[in-house]
Amino acid sequence: MASKPGVLTEWPWTPLGRFKYILLAPWVLDSMSPLFFETNGRKWDLSYSLNFPFLLWRVIHNQIWISFSRFRTSKSKNRILDKPIEFEQVDRESNWDDNIIMQGLMFYMGQKYLEGASNLPIWRTDGIVITILLHTGPVEFLYYWLHRSLHHHFLYSRYHSHHHSSIATEPITSVIHPFGEHLMYFLLFAIPLLTMHFTGTASTIGLAGYITYIDFMNNMGHCNFEFVPSSLFTTFPFLKYIFYTPSYHSLHHTQFRTNYALFMPMYDYIYSTMDKSSNTLYETSLKRTEESPDVVHLTHPTTPDSIYHLRLGFASLASKPYMKSADKWYFIIKWVLWPLTFLWSILFQRMFSRTFVLESNTFDDHHVTKKMLRIQTWAIPRYSYQYKRLSRQRGTINSLIEKAILDADKAGVKVLSLGLFNQARIYPYYAGEEMNRNGEVYIQKNPTLKIKIVDGSSLAAAIVLNSITNLKTQQQVVVMMRGKLTKVACYLALALCQRGVQVVVKLQKSTKDFEKLSSRFFSTSSSSQASLLAKNNLIPSKNYNNVHGNRQVWLVDDEFSSEEHMSAPKETIFIPYSQIPPWLNFKKNTKGAANILRKDCIYYSTPAMIIPSFLENVHSCENWLPRMVMSAWRIAGMLHALEDWEGHECGNWLITEDDGMIDKVWSASLRHGFRPYYLPVSCTSTIISA
């Protein structure tokens, strides 16, 4: 929004929200109706019918630029401006398609009501020549002076300041203007289009090509990375007057009073408004190499639909938590876009035979360690369901993870944290079901690694532990361990028992499992008070009887079933210790509810923390977590680098009663500005009674 919004700031269809596309429906039906119905001798008009496919092409074209730009800037190579993008900018630029809707309506009405605008030929050379000449002359000239006038304080504060709110630009920043400003631009761009019409030289390719040219140049000029080769200007020197570069326009967003040109800088040369540092910034950006991060978080997409929620996908979707049942767009993504999702899923795995950079952040720890950490998130091109097929996919996925670790080590990365299923899911004494023993396999295969591998188990356990100890209840709490005995679960069992909290362990296979857990962590050779207290508070489920009516806290993992969930007593508190919340995968029950959330229970988030404001360039959500919240496994790698901790945090890291890692990592997280995220999960859309 401009600092002092003027007349015609809001788009007319803003109140319609996501239903704004309905405005195009009558025109699309009208253009296609002659194919199916007889309408008073009216014949089908190809050029009129192509309007809708052309609008779709413009959306796809813009989205390609968005994804490509975000991919390139995350790697820092040829990046022009090192300014962060925040959620506020993403929200402000989420209406970039309004421009396409407006121009689509204009095209439909023009071809419908302007005499001679229908049944256009495919190609007219004379019309294209006219368009080139008119754009180079009147359009570029008038735009230059219109743009300069928009920088006058009166118009700037009411209109153009909305566009300049984005310092670090993205391709879609190019069309983020108030409605009134867009009308002025449309009148300018209509000069060649109307001239072709009135001279009888209009053609389908002429109209579509001109608009595509505008889209291409707009997106390129705002992409924040330089890629126009210098050899182009060396071979053809005159091009510098008629072809701008991304760095050229980037200076306009940082200096404001220079480089006003639309796409052709010649008018900046003529009127002496070209920024003197234009050539220097262009050359510097081209020479900029890819920077090596200090910390890498290794993750992967969860489902084929989740690719749209990645930072490289749809910007507005990536800025919101990925919750299937609560997402208003999920129906469209699931059922309307499924052919595209299917094809993309195949290409996704074939094109990416190795990890790719998903996101880049900066941690400016100026108040504690005075460090500046460069952080990247890398993704393995595999989905969650492929990790579960251990016998078929384990070798391939482990190879991808190992290659990512070796690449990171070669690049000088200090710490790599394993996220989601990129580490062991089942505790190792369940033979044959582990993935890579929480990263220990890679250390054993590559003993000379300098990089530190972190599985984040200690911080995840610390968050769950403090969630339990901070519960406000008048009843005594008993903890029910209802998931698999993973490394995090074993951390929690020991820590809770040592704090005097009863932990009831559900037997997975036989009593031998309980005995192994008990003997592994609570050594019978120790007679300390803590050890004895731990032994007395670890109880097998068959020996537990809740005669005192204690408040139950159920610690659950991603394989916790909806049937077990419904069997829990009232007022149960569910706290996941896995990376994926179990209720995302609950099946429908007889009442037809999809993600069953009971109104008589409380649900906590997966282990996560609120990030500090000095963790910059965060403008996408991590899976189902809300904004400015990150998972414990992702944060653990940052803490390891900030604290310069020696050694790895992975494998079967045995805990002893004097091991203070949980308290140590918890204190470090608070010291560096992270805050507990204890907010219970909202019971939205699918609440049922017990």
Side-chain angles (χ1 to χ4, degrees):
M1 188 67 68
S3 54
K4 297 179 181 178
V7 180
L8 296 179
T9 292
E10 291 288 345
W11 292 81
W13 44 81
T14 298
L16 295 177
R18 291 172 176 168
F19 293 100
K20 60 187 177 183
Y21 306 105
I22 293 178
L23 296 172
L24 292 170
W27 298 98
V28 175
L29 294 175
D30 182 63
S31 66
M32 302 302 294
S33 60
L35 281 174
F36 307 100
F37 309 101
E38 293 185 6
T39 52
N40 299 324
R42 177 185 164 195
K43 295 183 179 180
W44 179 58
D45 182 354
L46 175 62
S47 59
Y48 186 46
S49 301
L50 287 177
N51 275 327
F52 182 63
F54 177 61
L55 296 181
L56 291 178
W57 154 245
R58 294 188 67 189
V59 172
I60 295 171
H61 181 201
N62 288 341
Q63 183 56 50
I64 291 173
W65 271 106
I66 295 168
S67 299
F68 181 52
S69 174
R70 288 192 162 198
F71 175 72
R72 284 293 301 267
T73 53
S74 66
K75 302 177 71 173
S76 73
K77 185 178 181 180
N78 303 130
R79 191 165 56 204
I80 301 167
L81 190 63
D82 288 324
K83 288 283 186 180
I85 296 174
E86 309 297 345
F87 284 109
E88 183 274 333
Q89 179 174 338
V90 176
D91 292 340
R92 179 164 30 85
E93 296 180 350
S94 61
N95 68 329
W96 59 270
D97 52 347
D98 282 338
N99 174 56
I100 296 177
I101 294 175
M102 182 193 76
Q103 293 185 10
L105 293 173
M106 296 291 190
F107 294 151
Y108 273 118
M109 287 188 285
Q111 287 193 273
K112 179 75 172 178
Y113 298 113
L114 284 179
E115 186 177 353
S118 57
N119 295 301
L120 297 177
I122 298 296
W123 175 273
R124 284 290 298 263
T125 303
D126 48 0
I128 292 174
V129 171
I130 290 173
T131 299
I132 295 173
L133 294 176
L134 289 176
H135 178 86
T136 306
V139 173
E140 288 281 347
F141 176 78
L142 292 174
Y143 177 89
Y144 174 85
W145 287 106
L146 172 61
H147 196 178
R148 288 193 66 170
S149 66
L150 285 170
H151 277 261
H152 183 274
H153 64 85
F154 181 84
L155 291 177
Y156 184 83
S157 62
R158 285 162 175 79
Y159 296 99
H160 203 52
S161 60
H162 180 66
H163 177 70
H164 275 275
S165 297
S166 301
I167 304 300
T169 59
E170 295 198 278
I172 51 175
T173 306
S174 61
V175 293
I176 303 304
H177 303 281
F179 175 64
E181 192 172 339
H182 264 293
L183 287 177
M184 290 186 280
Y185 295 146
F186 183 79
L187 290 176
L188 275 180
F189 299 141
I191 292 174
L193 302 179
L194 291 175
T195 301
M196 282 193 291
H197 167 70
F198 289 120
T199 58
T201 57
S203 64
T204 300
I205 292 180
L207 296 173
Y210 183 52
I211 298 301
T212 299
Y213 164 76
I214 293 172
D215 286 344
F216 178 88
M217 296 298 288
N218 262 331
N219 285 319
M220 184 194 73
H222 291 81
C223 65
N224 197 30
F225 68 92
E226 190 58 79
F227 67 98
V228 181
S230 58
S231 58
L232 188 67
F233 299 107
T234 303
T235 307
F236 307 102
F238 68 92
L239 283 180
K240 71 177 184 178
Y241 300 108
I242 61 173
F243 189 84
Y244 80 162
T245 64
S247 58
Y248 185 90
H249 189 72
S250 177
L251 280 169
H252 176 70
H253 278 261
T254 55
Q255 304 302 318
F256 297 102
R257 297 293 181 180
T258 58
N259 295 7
Y260 291 104
L262 176 56
F263 307 138
M264 300 180 177
M266 61 182 176
Y267 291 106
D268 281 315
Y269 280 93
I270 293 172
Y271 297 107
S272 301
T273 55
M274 189 196 77
D275 197 288
K276 294 180 181 179
S277 62
S278 296
N279 292 333
T280 302
L281 181 62
Y282 169 70
E283 293 170 1
T284 303
S285 301
L286 275 182
K287 294 177 182 177
R288 183 169 181 176
T289 58
E290 186 173 338
E291 297 175 355
S292 297
D294 301 301
V295 179
V296 166
H297 179 64
L298 192 62
T299 184
H300 61 82
T302 54
T303 66
D305 305 320
S306 69
I307 59 176
Y308 301 113
H309 292 258
L310 297 179
R311 178 182 171 273
L312 305 183
F314 297 157
S316 58
L317 290 183
S319 68
K320 299 178 179 62
Y322 175 46
M323 297 291 288
K324 297 179 182 179
S325 59
D327 192 346
K328 297 178 181 179
W329 284 102
Y330 184 70
F331 176 81
I332 296 177
I333 293 174
K334 182 71 175 180
W335 301 110
V336 179
L337 296 181
W338 73 264
L340 179 63
T341 304
F342 177 75
L343 291 174
W344 172 244
S345 295
I346 297 175
L347 293 174
F348 177 70
Q349 296 180 63
R350 293 186 180 274
M351 290 170 57
F352 294 102
S353 57
R354 56 189 298 173
T355 57
F356 58 94
V357 181
L358 194 60
E359 187 174 350
S360 179
N361 312 109
T362 303
F363 195 104
D364 185 6
D365 193 32
H366 57 275
H367 70 300
V368 180
T369 61
K370 311 299 181 184
K371 290 183 178 180
M372 178 75 77
L373 284 185
R374 294 186 299 271
I375 306 163
Q376 287 184 354
T377 300
W378 296 1
I380 298 288
R382 294 295 184 271
Y383 302 115
S384 295
Y385 71 86
Q386 293 173 303
Y387 282 78
K388 296 178 181 180
R389 299 175 181 174
L390 291 177
S391 59
R392 296 174 54 187
Q393 297 284 342
R394 181 167 47 190
T396 302
I397 294 174
N398 271 335
S399 296
L400 288 170
I401 298 173
E402 183 178 6
K403 182 66 167 61
I405 292 173
L406 294 176
D407 288 344
D409 187 59
K410 185 179 179 180
V413 177
K414 298 176 182 177
V415 178
L416 183 142
S417 57
L418 299 171
L420 294 180
F421 292 156
N422 288 322
Q423 54 179 272
R425 298 178 60 246
I426 309 301
Y427 202 73
Y429 59 73
Y430 294 120
E433 295 189 32
E434 71 271 15
M435 183 64 150
N436 50 52
R437 299 198 300 273
N438 291 75
E440 187 180 29
V441 168
Y442 311 121
I443 299 171
Q444 293 175 345
K445 290 181 65 176
N446 305 277
T448 60
L449 283 177
K450 296 180 181 179
I451 193 173
K452 302 298 185 292
I453 310 298
V454 175
D455 63 17
S457 298
S458 57
L459 182 58
I463 293 172
V464 176
L465 180 64
N466 281 272
S467 299
I468 297 171
T469 56
N470 283 279
L471 288 174
K472 295 180 180 180
T473 176
Q474 296 179 351
Q475 299 171 282
Q476 185 177 351
V477 170
V478 60
V479 174
M480 314 291 291
M481 191 70 70
R482 305 294 289 188
K484 297 290 178 62
L485 296 178
T486 62
K487 183 177 177 180
V488 176
C490 294
Y491 267 117
L492 287 168
L494 174 63
L496 288 167
C497 289
Q498 288 183 343
R499 285 162 173 77
V501 179
Q502 287 188 333
V503 177
V504 180
V505 180
K506 179 185 177 182
L507 303 182
Q508 298 294 332
K509 296 182 179 180
S510 68
T511 56
K512 291 183 179 180
D513 296 334
F514 175 82
E515 293 170 357
K516 287 180 180 179
L517 175 65
S518 180
S519 62
R520 192 177 185 92
F521 293 99
F522 311 137
S523 173
T524 55
S525 62
S526 175
S527 59
S528 67
Q529 184 178 0
S531 182
L532 292 174
L533 185 63
K535 291 178 184 179
N536 294 332
N537 285 309
L538 186 68
I539 306 170
S541 57
K542 67 175 184 176
N543 294 347
Y544 177 72
N545 187 9
N546 191 15
V547 293
H548 301 293
N550 295 332
R551 184 75 178 271
Q552 293 190 12
V553 176
W554 284 31
L555 299 184
V556 297
D557 66 357
D558 56 287
E559 295 189 3
F560 182 66
S561 67
S562 55
E563 292 77 13
E564 288 181 289
H565 163 251
M566 294 303 297
S567 68
K570 292 182 178 181
E571 300 184 353
T572 295
I573 300 172
F574 294 99
I575 303 180
Y577 58 84
S578 58
Q579 301 209 32
I580 297 179
W583 29 86
L584 286 184
N585 301 315
F586 280 177
K587 298 179 180 179
K588 291 184 178 182
N589 69 339
T590 54
K591 298 183 180 181
N595 285 330
I596 309 166
L597 295 179
R598 290 168 46 180
K599 62 183 180 181
D600 60 348
C601 295
I602 298 175
Y603 303 82
Y604 274 67
S605 168
T606 51
M609 301 190 81
I610 301 170
I611 63 174
S613 59
F614 38 86
L615 180 51
E616 299 178 339
N617 202 42
V618 179
H619 49 269
S620 60
C621 291
E622 185 181 356
N623 298 314
W624 41 83
L625 295 174
R627 292 180 173 185
M628 304 304 288
V629 174
M630 286 186 179
S631 68
W633 294 268
R634 188 174 178 182
I635 296 172
M638 303 179 201
L639 296 178
H640 210 90
L642 289 169
E643 293 290 323
D644 288 322
W645 285 331
E646 295 295 331
H648 306 279
E649 183 193 342
C650 60
N652 305 337
W653 197 16
L654 300 182
I655 311 171
T656 60
E657 58 189 57
D658 59 346
D659 193 333
M661 191 59 191
I662 289 182
D663 294 329
K664 181 180 176 180
V665 73
W666 178 253
S667 298
S669 67
L670 298 180
R671 187 168 61 255
H672 291 289
F674 295 94
R675 290 294 174 261
Y677 179 65
Y678 292 146
L679 186 66
V681 176
S682 175
C683 296
T684 58
S685 71
T686 51
I687 305 176
I688 67 170
S689 300

